[in-house]
């Protein structure tokens, strides 16, 4: 059985999370035009959830230093669609997993 990987220092972990966040936003830049791709909407929601969790955990300055797009709230009519529900689920999971990852840091 292999031993667990050593924990990353908090600054390296934050840098990796921010790089992932930027990549998710870049990869989902056209998500509103891709209503037939729920995964794209989920990924955008995941990024939005990560961003909210990072801000809530006190990393607002690190977020402000990145070229991130504005968060676009979903219209009430979008929230009930399959792609809107995928986005909402992404927000929930992205936030929770970001808090889990940074919980010990």
């Amino acid at each position: 059985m292999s031993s667990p990987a050593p924990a990353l220092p908090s600054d390296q972990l934050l840098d990796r999370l921010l790089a992932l966040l930027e990549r998710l936003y870049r990869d989902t830049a056209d998500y509103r035009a891709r209503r037939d791709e729920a995964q794209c909407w989920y990924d955008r929601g995941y990024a939005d959830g990560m961003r909210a969790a990072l801000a809530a955990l006190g990393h607002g300055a690190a977020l402000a230093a990145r070229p991130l797009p504005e968060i676009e709230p979903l219209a009430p009519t979008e929230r009930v669609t399959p792609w809107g529900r995928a986005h909402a689920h992404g927000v929930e999971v992205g936030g929770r997993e970001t808090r889990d990852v940074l919980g010990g840091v």
Side-chain angles (χ1 to χ4, degrees):
M1 184 174 198
S2 64
S3 60
L8 292 172
S10 61
D11 57 336
Q12 287 180 341
L13 183 57
L14 181 60
D15 286 343
R16 291 178 80 176
L17 287 172
L18 290 168
L20 171 61
L21 182 63
E22 286 180 316
R23 190 188 86 216
L24 286 169
Y25 276 126
R26 185 177 55 250
D27 291 351
T28 62
D30 63 344
Y31 77 104
R32 290 215 183 251
R34 297 166 63 183
R35 291 186 172 161
D36 58 335
E37 296 182 42
Q39 183 65 50
C40 182
W41 283 72
Y42 173 87
D43 291 348
R44 183 58 167 234
Y46 193 97
D48 290 345
M50 286 181 67
R51 188 175 185 168
L54 287 167
L57 292 169
H59 299 291
L63 289 167
R66 301 284 177 142
L68 302 175
E70 293 292 321
I71 292 179
E72 302 171 336
L74 298 186
T77 55
E78 288 178 308
R79 292 183 198 140
V80 298
T81 64
W83 55 88
R85 290 191 308 269
H87 180 274
H89 185 60
V91 169
E92 177 186 327
V93 175
R96 181 180 65 239
E97 291 184 351
T98 300
R99 287 186 298 277
D100 288 349
V101 166
L102 290 175
V105 180

